[in-house]
Amino acid sequence: MQKMVPQHARVVIIGGGIHGCSVAYHLAKEGWKDIVLVERKQLTCGTTWHAAGLVGRLQGGHATTAFAQYGSDLFQELEKETGQATGYQCPGSISIATNVERMAELKRQADFALIHGEQASYMEVDEIMSLWPMMNPDQVIGGIWVPGNGYINPVDLTMALAKGARQNGVQIFEQTSVRRVLQEQGKVTGVTTDAGTIKADFVVNCAGMWARELGRQNGVGVALHACEHYYLVTDKIPDMPANLPVLRSYDDCTYFKEDAGKLLFGFAHNKVKPWGMDGIPETFCFDSLPFVDEDVMDVLEMAMNRVPLLQETGIRTFFNGPESYSFDGRFTLGEAPEVANYFILAGVNSTGIQSGAGAGRALAQWIVKGHPPMDLNDMDPGRIEAFQARDLYLQQRAPETETRTYAMHWPNDQRNTVRGLRKTPFYHLFKQGNACFGEVQGWERPTWFAPAGIAPVTQYSFGRQNWFAYAQAEQQAVRQGVGLMDYSMLGKLLVEGADAERFLQRVCSKDMAVANDQVTYTLLLNERGGVESDATVARFSEQQYMLMSSMARTRRDREHLQKHLQPGEQVSLRDVTSAYGVLSLAGPDSRKLLSMVSDADFSNAAFAYQSWQALYIGHAPVWAQRLSFTGELGWEIFVTPDFAEHVMEQLLEAGKDVGLKLIGSEALNALRIEKGFLHWGHDVSYSEAPHQLGLSFLCNKDQDYIGKRAASERRQTAQGSQLCYLKLLDGQPLLYHNEPVLMGGKVIGFVTSGAWSDGQHAAVGLAFVNLKRGDKAVNDKQFEVIVEGVAYPAQLSWLPFYDPENHRCKG
């Protein structure tokens, strides 16, 4: 007989896999009562039960690594707390490389381990063989040993979390299907199940591969799709070595782990099929999918070559099960922007077991505290555009995520599927200029330009990629002449209405009561004093402003502003990103070039820095603001799509006389890092306060705005690490991100953004360090940065290495 659900709960959690049980456990641990978890069939019956159970303490990002570290620490205590065995074993893991590029990637992973206090060390081939004697060492050139890694029984772990949740008062209802999440006036009010309706203050969607369809009922985008995923288990292997480490052979797309005297080996496939295109059967429970030999034959052959014992050992289990993959390889974790108090934890890309405990705790803390407990920006549901949550898109993009699990994770790597969706009005002219395009939020954006006769195709490497020299020439053009960039994908929000000024004064850290031709760089803070966004705001009239920010922030900025509108306030928000094409013209000759195509006066006296004007270029009406993200003299030109090509053609034609060069994002990134300009999501997040970033000058003392008091308190107590500027003293190594920074041989921080600067003839970067801002130690101490296991001397500075007084952009 089905058990009736309660009429009310503080939180209803949907889904009884690792994530749902983790959220329930951690909400209870936070002291919350009246928690209900509902599972459509039985606990673990979706994906959790057939997971391989690998546990790695290192992941690709800071938050996911924190999840994994917390989880593996918890696993050791959970059995004591609940009496439920978890099967946790910690024999360590070895990741091997068969080529120098893979070895470079693995060494960078070991570098990253230093930042998080994890042990990870290089191993020679003979050392690997001593721990993994069944391995064929052919082509193996070395590996990385991580002693803290291991594996666990996923079902036992989930049952331990569920038991711990129950012991702390959580009610768990199996065989109970949620029919609909209820909402009123943009906020959840409960759920309807086949055992009754539960009124609730919060609802958490942990429905795994069902999460997308469940979210869609309420207009909530959950961008994941189930894909087929294979592994095999051998018969018993006589004399299996004790405490056999997990072996990952990325170049063979295979991992191996001991399984009760057998060997389990699974794949990161080269060919992946999405599953459940017509919906997941209602009866699905502990089900598997047909095993198709052709789907895995290529990787199976590589596995048998790497471990020849497999060629003479019987296979007991041929398994194919569905797992959820996201469109961008990142979790969906947080509050849905569409419905208040609707939270999501889903789409974790085969890392659910090792990340589940930590991710569940983070979500529980978010619900309890009302804000993220750490920087979870990469996972924010607000990053998901509507088209990215559609089946047609996900059925092409999610399988690529699975194929990339063990693929090389190149610097600046680009996705190949579902490309060419969003093109700016200048796309075809930049393509004619031999652009290599990258994709961000569906937008195609030039990353670098190839000379005539050279194919604009990136050849990836951890060293100098094939575009390196071309990007240096692009940097030189901006510093010495003039360059043209596509900025059309810049987020653009019109803030309009009688109360627009008063509203922006409340949400922006800089004074918005400026003249109607002024442009202001400002911060948007949250109530905790963290930087929710940085934006440029142009005032057009008494009742109209345009707020411009990173293309990845557009939706989230609108949600942030919308949330802070007060009842009765006469303010409207309108996304006009696609209504204007934008060209950035930058360099000491930019004024000269503009004067050749327009009758406007571009002198300092007539067109001041951080101002805007309406003017004509050729026959086209445009408006331009005097700003540049390069640190040079420059303008950003806004034009409606109908006149866009005409404007660019005018600039290209006139530019022949002044050496105009087309510029891609690789060169721009190097220029902005050299100048010390920050990029939200890399160097800035909602966790950091302005003083940590050297941006306190953007906080107006005479203005009352959201987050002001919290930011001031954080500054007075000097909370947190500080962002500084960094340059390697050796011109050979390259910086990308997450390289450890050392002082006196101890890790004091890490690089947030890095690039090779033509102007500095070395790699430059921005880095968070555990020093007090202004500390003279940056002048007195010796610093190093670890790159692929080698410590290189570095110079740190509290001022940018290029034009710290801003003479160039104001010239």
Side-chain angles (χ1 to χ4, degrees):
M1 182 176 175
Q2 189 175 36
K3 186 177 171 184
M4 293 301 293
V5 296
Q7 294 182 348
H8 181 271
R10 193 173 189 181
V11 183
V12 172
I13 302 161
I14 305 168
I18 178 69
H19 294 114
C21 291
S22 178
V23 172
Y25 172 85
H26 286 99
L27 280 172
K29 283 293 186 179
E30 291 286 336
W32 274 34
K33 305 299 181 184
D34 199 16
I35 311 299
V36 169
L37 182 149
V38 291
E39 161 56 45
R40 55 180 289 277
K41 296 293 184 182
Q42 295 174 245
L43 297 184
T44 79
C45 75
T47 294
T48 298
W49 73 275
H50 64 70
L54 300 183
V55 175
R57 290 178 63 88
L58 283 173
Q59 301 298 304
H62 296 281
T64 51
T65 295
F67 294 169
Q69 289 180 318
Y70 167 77
S72 56
D73 291 342
L74 176 66
F75 301 158
Q76 301 176 56
E77 302 300 324
L78 198 57
E79 184 171 342
K80 298 176 185 177
E81 176 187 343
T82 66
Q84 168 70 52
T86 63
Y88 179 58
Q89 301 289 327
C90 186
S93 74
I94 305 168
S95 298
I96 61 173
T98 64
N99 57 73
V100 293
E101 291 286 10
R102 179 68 76 179
M103 197 68 248
E105 180 183 16
L106 293 180
K107 286 181 177 179
R108 284 178 176 267
Q109 289 178 6
D111 297 345
F112 184 63
L114 293 174
I115 300 171
H116 291 274
E118 285 296 326
Q119 295 182 40
S121 56
Y122 174 77
M123 293 187 88
E124 298 285 355
V125 177
D126 56 350
E127 297 176 283
I128 298 171
M129 292 299 296
S130 68
L131 291 177
W132 236 93
M134 297 181 295
M135 184 190 78
N136 172 12
D138 183 41
Q139 298 184 320
V140 177
I141 62 173
I144 296 296
W145 163 247
V146 183
N149 289 350
Y151 49 84
I152 199 166
N153 184 303
V155 172
D156 290 345
L157 168 61
T158 306
M159 292 303 181
L161 289 167
K163 186 173 182 180
R166 286 190 179 103
Q167 289 174 344
N168 286 278
V170 174
Q171 298 183 73
I172 296 178
F173 296 86
E174 297 181 272
Q175 305 296 336
T176 304
S177 293
V178 170
R179 299 307 187 195
R180 181 167 292 277
V181 176
L182 304 174
Q183 68 177 80
E184 290 180 9
Q185 299 179 337
K187 185 176 181 180
V188 296
T189 59
V191 300
T192 298
T193 78
D194 57 3
T197 295
I198 312 173
K199 295 294 184 180
D201 302 319
F202 298 87
V203 172
V204 185
N205 181 348
C206 290
M209 54 189 166
W210 291 270
R212 183 183 76 259
E213 293 182 21
L214 180 64
R216 191 171 291 157
Q217 293 180 3
N218 296 80
V220 171
V222 185
L224 60 82
H225 202 287
C227 297
E228 298 186 8
H229 187 67
Y230 290 77
Y231 64 75
L232 293 86
V233 183
T234 69
D235 289 332
K236 284 269 189 179
I237 297 176
D239 304 318
M240 174 77 79
N243 297 316
L244 190 70
V246 173
L247 179 70
R248 291 179 174 88
S249 182
Y250 294 107
D251 298 319
D252 297 313
C253 303
T254 311
Y255 63 86
F256 306 86
K257 74 155 194 168
E258 189 270 338
D259 184 70
K262 306 179 289 294
L263 200 61
L264 182 152
F265 59 108
F267 313 111
H269 312 288
N270 295 317
K271 297 176 289 186
V272 174
K273 293 187 294 190
W275 181 78
M277 286 82 79
D278 298 322
I280 301 169
E282 179 64 25
T283 57
F284 190 95
C285 181
F286 295 112
D287 288 352
S288 60
L289 308 179
F291 193 99
V292 181
D293 293 348
E294 291 76 12
D295 290 347
V296 296
M297 193 53 65
D298 57 339
V299 287
L300 181 58
E301 289 176 355
M302 289 191 289
M304 290 183 169
N305 176 66
R306 184 59 57 207
V307 181
L309 181 67
L310 298 177
Q311 300 174 23
E312 55 192 61
T313 303
I315 302 297
R316 175 171 297 187
T317 303
F318 293 83
F319 187 83
N320 177 15
E323 296 195 19
S324 294
Y325 293 86
S326 67
F327 73 103
D328 59 0
R330 292 177 280 169
F331 296 14
T332 298
L333 189 160
E335 186 175 14
E338 300 88 351
V339 184
N341 289 1
Y342 187 122
F343 283 81
I344 309 161
L345 173 50
V348 297
N349 312 298
S350 283
T351 64
I353 303 307
Q354 56 197 346
S355 301
R361 182 179 70 155
L363 191 69
Q365 291 175 338
W366 189 333
I367 293 170
V368 171
K369 296 178 180 179
H371 59 80
M374 63 181 77
D375 178 12
L376 300 173
N377 164 62
D378 281 352
M379 308 174 192
D380 191 340
R383 79 185 189 278
I384 301 168
E385 301 276 358
F387 73 90
Q388 293 168 326
R390 295 183 67 242
D391 292 356
L392 182 63
Y393 180 87
L394 291 166
Q395 287 166 11
Q396 297 179 60
R397 182 55 74 91
E400 185 181 6
T401 296
E402 184 175 347
T403 65
R404 288 171 174 262
T405 305
Y406 277 13
M408 291 292 298
H409 297 91
W410 300 112
N412 311 315
D413 195 6
Q414 289 290 321
R415 294 294 181 118
N416 299 314
T417 55
V418 215
R419 292 293 300 270
L421 300 185
R422 305 173 85 176
K423 298 175 182 177
T424 78
F426 310 110
Y427 171 84
H428 295 289
L429 289 174
F430 278 110
K431 187 174 183 180
Q432 290 174 20
N434 224 15
C436 177
F437 289 92
E439 179 258 340
V440 181
Q441 293 296 98
W443 288 104
E444 295 292 332
R445 183 186 191 189
T447 57
W448 56 274
F449 290 86
I454 302 294
V457 178
T458 298
Q459 297 171 12
Y460 291 109
S461 169
F462 279 94
R464 286 159 169 73
Q465 297 183 6
N466 62 317
W467 48 262
F468 186 83
Y470 313 144
Q472 304 316 300
E474 293 173 27
Q475 291 183 48
Q476 292 166 17
V478 174
R479 291 285 184 247
Q480 301 168 17
V482 60
L484 186 68
M485 291 156 274
D486 192 348
Y487 271 26
S488 302
M489 58 291 298
L490 180 77
K492 311 171 195 73
L493 291 173
L494 280 182
V495 183
E496 302 169 299
D499 296 322
E501 179 184 300
R502 186 177 70 178
F503 171 66
L504 287 175
Q505 288 285 70
R506 192 171 69 252
V507 297
C508 295
S509 65
K510 287 282 283 184
D511 185 10
M512 293 291 112
V514 296
N516 291 343
D517 63 350
Q518 292 300 292
V519 180
T520 305
Y521 179 51
T522 184
L523 304 177
L524 283 70
L525 304 185
N526 53 45
E527 292 82 353
R528 305 175 305 285
V531 179
E532 197 70 27
S533 185
D534 65 330
T536 300
V537 181
R539 186 166 194 172
F540 294 155
S541 69
E542 294 302 310
Q543 296 189 15
Q544 187 181 60
Y545 295 78
M546 180 183 282
L547 185 146
M548 294 154 278
S549 60
S550 164
M551 68 190 82
R553 287 293 313 169
T554 309
R555 180 184 182 188
R556 285 178 274 189
D557 284 347
R558 178 170 179 165
E559 297 294 339
H560 176 77
L561 296 176
Q562 191 76 44
K563 183 174 70 174
H564 288 98
L565 282 173
Q566 294 179 350
E569 207 160 29
Q570 295 183 48
V571 176
S572 66
L573 305 173
R574 189 155 49 102
D575 185 351
V576 293
T577 299
S578 299
Y580 294 94
V582 186
L583 290 171
S584 172
L585 195 70
D589 289 337
S590 57
R591 177 180 284 124
K592 179 179 180 181
L593 176 54
L594 281 172
S595 298
M596 294 166 65
V597 297
S598 176
D599 57 5
D601 186 347
F602 295 95
S603 66
N604 269 330
F607 206 139
Y609 179 60
Q610 290 194 330
S611 70
W612 74 269
Q613 291 185 26
L615 51 97
Y616 277 85
I617 292 179
H619 302 286
V622 306
W623 68 273
Q625 57 187 13
R626 189 174 159 193
L627 290 172
S628 173
F629 199 42
T630 66
E632 295 294 338
L633 174 70
W635 280 263
E636 294 170 356
I637 303 162
F638 292 69
V639 57
T640 53
D642 52 336
F643 279 108
E645 286 195 5
H646 172 68
V647 168
M648 184 167 172
E649 287 166 351
Q650 293 289 301
L651 291 168
L652 291 175
E653 183 61 30
K656 293 176 182 177
D657 295 332
V658 292
L660 175 68
K661 196 170 186 64
L662 301 181
I663 310 299
S665 59
E666 294 291 356
L668 175 61
N669 190 49
L671 293 167
R672 69 96 184 167
I673 292 174
E674 180 190 34
K675 180 62 180 77
F677 287 157
L678 280 55
H679 187 273
W680 207 98
H682 288 93
D683 317 302
V684 188
S685 81
Y686 47 60
S687 299
E688 285 80 41
H691 77 276
Q692 296 177 255
L693 309 166
L695 298 179
S696 292
F697 69 94
L698 294 177
C699 297
N700 189 355
K701 296 180 180 178
D702 302 321
Q703 178 183 336
D704 189 18
Y705 52 86
I706 294 165
K708 177 181 180 180
R709 179 176 297 179
S712 177
E713 291 174 353
R714 290 173 67 172
R715 182 182 184 185
Q716 291 171 11
T717 55
Q719 291 181 24
S721 55
Q722 305 289 316
L723 197 70
C724 70
Y725 311 103
L726 175 151
K727 177 171 67 175
L728 296 187
L729 301 182
D730 185 319
Q732 185 58 33
L734 301 178
L735 296 177
Y736 297 113
H737 65 96
N738 284 340
E739 293 88 355
V741 179
L742 278 61
M743 182 177 74
K746 295 183 179 180
V747 176
I748 62 164
F750 62 92
V751 174
T752 60
S753 294
W756 205 90
S757 163
D758 178 78
Q760 303 298 315
H761 303 293
V764 294
L766 298 164
F768 273 117
V769 293
N770 293 321
L771 295 172
K772 187 176 180 179
R773 180 159 297 279
D775 193 331
K776 294 182 180 180
V778 297
N779 302 317
D780 304 333
K781 301 290 184 179
Q782 291 186 337
F783 299 91
E784 295 172 311
V785 177
I786 304 293
V787 181
E788 296 175 20
V790 179
Y792 292 95
Q795 176 185 350
L796 267 62
S797 172
W798 296 116
L799 293 174
F801 292 105
Y802 186 77
D803 190 27
E805 301 299 324
N806 291 331
H807 295 307
R808 302 280 291 188
C809 55
K810 295 178 180 179

